[in-house]
Amino acid sequence: MPDESTAILTIDLAAIAANYRTLVEQVAPATCAAVVKADAYGLGAAMVAPVLQRAGCRHFFVASVDEGLALRQVLPNVQIFLLNGLPGGAARAVAAGDLVPVLATLDQIEEWRKLCAATQPKPAALQFDTGMSRLGLSQADVIRLATDPRSLQGLPIVHVMSHLACGDEPNHPLNDKQLMLFRSLVERFPWTRVGLGGMKPSFGLAASGGVYLGTDFHFDLARPGIALYGGRPVIGRPNPLRPVVRLQGKILQIRDVDLGMSVGYGATHQFKGPSRLAVIGVGYADGIFRSLGNRGAVFVAGERAPIVGRISMDLMTAEIGHVPIAACRPGDSVDIIGPQQSIDDLADAAGTIGYEVLTALGKRYQRRYLAATGRAA
Ligand SMILES: *Cc1c(COP(=O)(O)O)cnc(C)c1O
């Protein structure tokens, strides 16, 4: 039995499945993949990925080889792409795990080509850099590949992708620029003559933001991540996805404070009169950012309670002078993420993004998964 004071992280798997179906509709007739890197954005890939598979997902993206091999244990029959490419020396492990590397350099292409020649042709993907200046073949490398027909010979390229730098900002001029560059690079290749069996690869550009930029950005395969987990896909617009996460801290102690007293390390908050404090058993070691000290809020008995003082490692303090005394007691739960405060609200208060809120969620929580049937798993 978990300690009664342990904070509870509830992950709604039915909401993830519903969000996947929403995204499927949004990108149709294109196909929708799922990005489950970083342990499905901290929510547990081993729990999340099978739910997505049951919802119809057949293409999964992770970052690293280790993540891909772990996911392969869970999902034997789906396509698993490695966004971080092919690390030197990893080709055999990648092939053995039936993972599809998203090749990002000419050296990686050469390494995969050698493996294919030595064993058998194994599918790979390519990433073109179109303006992110992160992973991917440069424009010059792409042109070099396109002008040398032997360069991709014997390499079954099943997918060609690029990544938007500003996909969550619909009016950013870089979106159209990247779209046009991606199209023009893709058109340089005689795709029907390369690859296994003369297959044309699928193309992809859209992450969560790109899904909402219109059909021009969808190509064949969209690959949202944050939207599956209830994050806001587009800045400044209502979020069409269902919330997935609820985080409830427990009140360990309630104390009276008065004029002249302060709270927490550094005594950064002084009380201007009598009030009450709830001491809550979560802190920055649990992923509650220290930047929320004297800035964020939690919800106690439905009331907004500002976080006062600094966040410490295992504790935080919220002012509850305005909450009726009978409405909260030690042992009660407070909502840190929940119906009144989304992951994006909390991120905004902390000066970060919902992605970081999710991937920072700590290991000390009691995790409860709401199964796709609505019952706890
Ligand atoms: C993380 C990532 C995604 C998913 O992005 P979201 O914004 O979470 O939808 C897609 N493609 C690449 C290359 C990524 O690194």
Side-chain angles (χ1 to χ4, degrees):
M1 273 300 284
D3 177 346
E4 280 302 306
S5 69
T6 306
I8 300 169
L9 179 68
T10 306
I11 296 159
D12 186 346
L13 296 171
I16 294 178
N19 288 340
Y20 179 71
R21 289 189 289 265
T22 299
L23 294 160
V24 164
E25 274 176 34
Q26 190 67 32
V27 302
T31 302
C32 193
V35 179
V36 294
K37 63 192 180 189
D39 202 24
Y41 290 42
L43 302 185
M47 295 296 289
V48 167
V51 167
L52 289 164
Q53 185 190 30
R54 282 197 293 277
C57 187
R58 296 292 174 266
H59 306 83
F60 291 80
F61 286 83
V62 295
S64 67
V65 178
D66 285 348
E67 288 179 353
L69 293 172
L71 185 62
R72 179 55 80 210
Q73 299 298 311
V74 179
L75 299 180
N77 296 317
V78 300
Q79 202 157 39
I80 301 175
F81 295 93
L82 305 180
L83 287 170
N84 280 4
L86 183 65
R92 275 176 193 278
V94 169
D98 230 337
L99 308 174
V100 182
V102 181
L103 305 172
T105 67
L106 296 177
D107 284 348
Q108 290 178 14
I109 292 173
E110 187 52 27
E111 186 158 351
W112 199 252
R113 215 183 49 73
K114 274 192 199 141
L115 175 108
C116 291
T119 58
Q120 53 174 307
K122 294 266 193 185
L126 294 177
Q127 177 153 209
F128 295 172
D129 179 58
T130 55
M132 181 80 172
S133 304
R134 206 174 59 172
L135 292 179
L137 295 152
S138 69
Q139 223 173 308
D141 285 345
V142 174
I143 290 167
R144 190 161 355 149
L145 275 184
T147 47
D148 177 5
R150 287 164 312 167
S151 60
L152 293 176
Q153 226 159 43
L155 259 190
I157 302 297
V158 294
H159 186 61
V160 179
M161 55 169 271
S162 187
H163 193 45
L164 297 170
C166 310
D168 56 358
E169 297 177 59
N171 298 323
H172 202 290
L174 193 49
N175 291 326
D176 280 333
K177 242 174 118 173
Q178 288 194 258
L179 174 63
M180 278 175 335
L181 180 56
F182 185 55
R183 278 197 184 128
S184 76
L185 291 176
V186 156
E187 279 163 11
R188 287 173 174 268
F189 292 83
W191 287 114
T192 50
R193 281 188 278 120
V194 297
L196 190 65
M199 287 283 288
K200 200 173 169 221
S202 60
F203 299 106
L205 183 60
S208 297
V211 164
Y212 290 93
L213 286 177
T215 52
D216 279 357
F217 288 83
H218 294 164
F219 292 88
D220 306 301
L221 185 65
R223 39 168 215 282
I226 194 72
L228 293 168
Y229 312 114
R232 163 176 76 197
V234 179
I235 294 170
R237 281 205 208 145
N239 185 345
L241 286 319
R242 265 172 64 177
V244 167
V245 168
R246 182 166 192 183
L247 177 59
Q248 295 163 290
K250 292 278 182 73
I251 298 178
L252 305 186
Q253 185 172 353
I254 291 177
R255 60 189 314 125
D256 294 320
V257 290
D258 208 341
L259 173 73
M261 290 173 73
S262 65
V263 54
Y265 287 120
T268 59
H269 180 84
Q270 280 90 33
F271 296 97
K272 297 190 175 69
S275 190
R276 280 181 312 128
L277 275 185
V279 182
I280 302 156
V282 291
Y284 61 76
D286 304 295
I288 306 300
F289 297 111
R290 206 165 161 275
S291 56
L292 289 164
N294 292 318
R295 277 172 72 186
V298 300
F299 287 81
V300 179
E303 303 267 358
R304 187 177 192 281
I307 297 169
V308 288
R310 286 190 187 150
I311 308 269
S312 40
M313 186 183 291
D314 320 298
L315 298 167
M316 62 197 272
T317 38
E319 186 161 5
I320 54 165
H322 56 299
V323 180
I325 289 191
C328 69
R329 295 200 165 82
D332 285 357
S333 293
V334 308
D335 266 326
I336 302 167
I337 299 167
Q340 289 150 306
Q341 179 157 262
S342 69
I343 56 171
D344 292 301
D345 295 334
L346 190 70
D348 289 346
T352 180
I353 52 177
Y355 301 70
E356 197 180 12
V357 168
L358 290 185
T359 55
L361 289 170
K363 304 202 185 314
R364 295 195 288 192
Y365 300 131
Q366 182 192 335
R367 285 184 175 225
R368 290 185 184 163
Y369 286 94
L370 299 184
T373 58
R375 267 194 247 121

